[in-house]
C-alpha cells in the first residue's frame, strides 16, 4: 500500500514537472503590481505630455481606455530667496522649500493620437491643460508617506484577474534609500488599491478647487497609511 502511494506521488510530481506553469484566475490583489518593463511608446507619450513638473513626492497617473489621460504630480521647489544666496547650505531644509500639486490632463485620448491607433494613420498634436496649487509641508509629507508605504508592497499577484476596458492607474514616488518606486492597479473596486485611487482622484479635485481644505485629505492619507501592513 505504501509503495502504491509513493508511486502515485512520483507520477503526480512527474506530470507537474512536465507542464508549463500557468496562472490561476481569481480576485484582484489587495496591493499594487509592477509596471510592464520596458516602457513602450504609449508610456513615452504620456510622460512627454503630462510630466511637466517633478513628481518625486508622489505621482498618480490615470490611463482610461477611452477617456482623457491625466496626471497628479507632487513635488518641491527651493524658494527664490534661497536660490539667490550664493553661500546657502545644501541640501535645503524643509522650511526653505515650497510644495506643490500640479494636475495635467490631455485634451484628447493620447493612445488614439498615435498613428498606429487611429484611422488617419498619423500622429496628432494633443493640447494639455495644467493646474497648479501650492500645498503645505504637512500635506506633502502625508502624500509621500502613504505612496511610499503602498508602493513598498508592490509585487506580482498570486492570481490573474480578467477585465475589459476600464482604467489603469499608475503610482510612483521617490524614497530615500530605495530610489524610485512604481506600481499600478486596474479599475480597483475594493481594498487598499481602491482607496489610494480614490485619494489620488481627490487630490486632483483639491488642486482644481482653490477653496478646498487640506485637512480632510491629510486625515484620509494618515488613516490609509496605518491600514497598509508594514513590511
Amino acid at each position: 500500500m505504501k509503495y502504491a502511494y509513493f508511486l502515485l506521488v512520483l507520477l503526480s510530481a512527474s506530470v507537474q514537472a512536465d507542464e508549463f506553469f500557468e496562472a490561476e484566475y481569481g480576485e484582484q490583489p489587495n496591493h499594487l503590481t509592477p509596471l510592464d518593463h520596458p516602457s513602450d511608446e504609449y508610456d513615452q507619450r504620456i510622460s512627454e505630455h503630462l510630466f511637466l513638473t517633478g513628481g518625486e513626492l508622489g505621482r498618480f497617473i490615470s490611463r482610461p481606455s477611452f477617456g482623457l489621460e491625466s496626471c497628479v504630480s507632487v513635488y518641491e521647489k527651493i524658494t527664490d530667496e534661497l536660490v539667490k544666496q550664493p553661500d546657502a547650505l545644501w541640501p535645503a531644509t524643509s522650511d526653505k522649500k515650497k510644495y506643490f500639486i500640479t494636475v495635467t490632463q490631455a485634451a484628447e485620448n493620447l493612445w488614439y493620437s498615435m498613428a498606429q491607433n487611429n484611422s488617419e494613420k498619423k500622429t496628432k498634436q494633443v493640447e494639455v491643460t495644467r493646474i497648479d496649487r501650492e500645498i503645505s509641508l504637512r500635506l506633502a509629507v502625508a502624500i509621500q508617506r502613504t505612496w511610499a508605504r503602498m508602493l513598498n508592497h508592490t509585487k506580482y499577484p498570486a492570481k490573474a484577474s480578467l477585465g475589459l476596458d476600464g482604467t489603469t492607474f499608475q503610482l510612483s514616488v521617490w524614497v530615500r534609500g530605495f530610489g524610485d518606486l512604481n506600481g499600478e492597479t486596474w479599475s480597483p473596486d475594493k481594498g487598499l488599491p481602491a482607496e489610494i485611487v480614490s485619494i489620488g482622484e481627490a487630490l486632483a479635485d483639491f488642486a482644481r478647487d482653490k477653496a478646498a481644505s487640506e485637512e480632510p485629505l491629510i486625515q484620509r492619507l494618515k488613516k490609509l497609511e496605518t491600514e497598509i501592513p508594514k513590511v
Side-chain angles (χ1 to χ4, degrees), residues 138-139 142 146 195 199 214-226:
R138 283 185 69 225
L139 179 55
T146 305
E195 178 59 13
I199 291 176
E214 291 187 351
E215 198 57 35
L217 278 171
I218 292 173
Q219 295 308 314
R220 282 186 71 183
L221 286 158
K222 287 186 174 183
K223 180 176 182 296
L224 179 57
E225 184 190 350
T226 65

Side-chain angles (χ1 to χ4, degrees), residues 187-216:
S187 293
D189 58 6
K190 63 181 179 180
L192 300 175
E195 178 59 13
I196 202 163
V197 163
S198 176
I199 291 176
E201 293 172 334
L203 288 172
D205 292 338
F206 166 80
R208 296 185 182 103
D209 181 3
K210 306 302 182 184
S213 169
E214 291 187 351
E215 198 57 35

Side-chain angles (χ1 to χ4, degrees), residues 17-177:
D18 292 338
E19 293 182 357
F20 291 110
F21 178 83
E22 294 182 4
E24 298 179 11
Y25 286 87
E27 294 187 350
Q28 287 184 304
N30 194 32
H31 56 79
L32 302 179
T33 58
L35 273 59
D36 290 336
H37 184 78
S39 59
D40 58 21
E41 187 179 343
Y42 183 41
D43 297 319
Q44 215 169 16
R45 195 150 176 80
I46 284 178
S47 63
E48 289 171 354
H49 283 75
L50 302 182
F51 296 2
L52 304 184
T53 68
E56 63 277 3
L57 300 181
R59 185 163 264 149
F60 174 76
I61 307 162
S62 175
R63 298 166 46 144
S65 296
F66 305 107
L68 306 178
E69 295 91 346
S70 63
C71 177
V72 177
S73 300
V74 186
Y75 56 101
E76 61 187 20
K77 292 174 65 175
I78 307 300
T79 60
D80 293 338
E81 293 76 13
L82 186 64
V83 172
K84 294 174 183 177
Q85 297 176 19
D87 58 344
L89 295 176
W90 302 97
T93 56
S94 297
D95 61 317
K96 301 297 184 182
K97 300 176 183 178
K98 290 186 177 182
Y99 302 88
F100 298 88
I101 289 179
T102 291
V103 180
T104 50
Q105 185 172 58
E108 59 183 284
N109 187 279
L110 290 170
W111 170 263
Y112 290 106
S113 74
M114 298 163 61
Q116 63 269 38
N117 300 325
N118 61 58
S119 58
E120 294 92 336
K121 299 303 176 185
K122 65 178 183 180
T123 298
K124 302 177 183 179
Q125 296 295 322
V126 177
E127 297 294 325
V128 173
T129 61
R130 171 176 174 169
I131 296 173
D132 301 289
R133 180 169 179 180
E134 185 174 351
I135 61 174
S136 69
L137 171 62
R138 283 185 69 225
L139 179 55
V141 168
I143 295 168
Q144 191 271 350
R145 287 185 61 88
T146 305
W147 257 234
R149 290 282 191 193
M150 191 73 188
L151 285 161
N152 199 26
H153 282 270
T154 298
K155 57 184 177 181
Y156 288 102
K159 295 186 177 181
S161 55
L162 292 173
L164 296 173
D165 303 329
T167 302
T168 297
F169 299 96
Q170 296 179 335
L171 292 87
S172 65
V173 73
W174 186 86
V175 177
R176 186 183 300 277

